[in-house]
Amino acid sequence: MTKIAEFMQGRYGNDKLNTFIWIVTAVLYVINLFVRNSIIMIVVLLLGALAIFRALSTNITKRLYENNRFLSIYNVVAEFFKRQYMKIRDFKTHRYLTCPYCKAQLRLKKRTGVQQIHCPKCGKDFKKNILF
């Protein structure tokens, strides 16, 4: 175990992008078990090689830059799906609206009719007719 630790000293290791690459590799491998396509298998091997290359790389600044770019995209997508889940979960008790000025997502208690709404992000007031 100490030999592995000594070998990995000064190398980049694992991060969120590597984890994502390994998950995509595993999913494609399982799909390939049923489809039996050589192109998918080549992609699986290339993705595995890329993940190993990234983990063993000594160019840490470049790997950090790649991971930060991936995280900026990943966080936007994850936030979108989290918001969709919350809309479905809170359907009976709350409504989600977008502020017409700053485009912030607002969570309001479910009340029908015209409501006076104050946006906490930009501080502006607007009226919205909530039908159901």
Side-chain angles (χ1 to χ4, degrees):
M1 212 52 176
T2 58
K3 290 197 183 242
I4 294 173
E6 288 174 3
F7 175 73
M8 288 302 290
Q9 226 171 18
R11 301 192 186 273
Y12 186 65
N14 203 15
D15 61 0
K16 195 89 161 177
L17 178 56
N18 259 12
T19 304
F20 179 76
I21 291 171
W22 281 119
I23 290 171
V24 170
T25 303
V27 168
L28 286 176
Y29 184 76
V30 170
I31 289 171
N32 194 41
L33 289 176
F34 299 107
V35 176
R36 302 276 185 191
N37 190 339
S38 60
I39 295 174
I40 295 176
M41 194 60 194
I42 291 171
V43 171
V44 166
L45 293 173
L46 289 175
L47 285 174
L50 175 66
I52 292 171
F53 169 77
R54 289 190 80 252
L56 298 178
S57 175
T58 56
N59 192 351
I60 294 173
T61 56
K62 192 166 185 179
R63 302 294 90 81
L64 281 173
Y65 176 73
E66 293 168 353
N67 189 48
N68 288 337
R69 293 231 9 209
F70 169 74
L71 286 177
S72 67
I73 296 167
Y74 175 81
N75 290 336
V76 169
V77 173
E79 187 63 33
F80 172 78
F81 283 109
K82 180 180 175 185
R83 200 175 309 121
Q84 298 308 314
Y85 167 74
M86 290 174 60
K87 285 181 184 180
I88 293 169
R89 182 192 67 188
D90 297 340
F91 180 73
K92 291 183 179 181
T93 58
H94 293 83
R95 291 291 171 255
Y96 286 83
L97 298 175
T98 304
C99 175
Y101 302 105
C102 65
K103 308 298 184 215
Q105 287 285 324
L106 306 175
R107 180 176 180 241
L108 307 170
K109 289 206 181 265
K110 183 178 178 181
R111 285 188 237 131
T112 57
V114 177
Q115 290 188 26
Q116 180 73 19
I117 301 166
H118 176 78
C119 178
K121 186 175 179 184
C122 66
K124 299 204 176 173
D125 295 325
F126 61 96
K127 290 184 180 184
K128 185 75 175 179
N129 187 13
I130 299 177
L131 301 175
F132 58 93

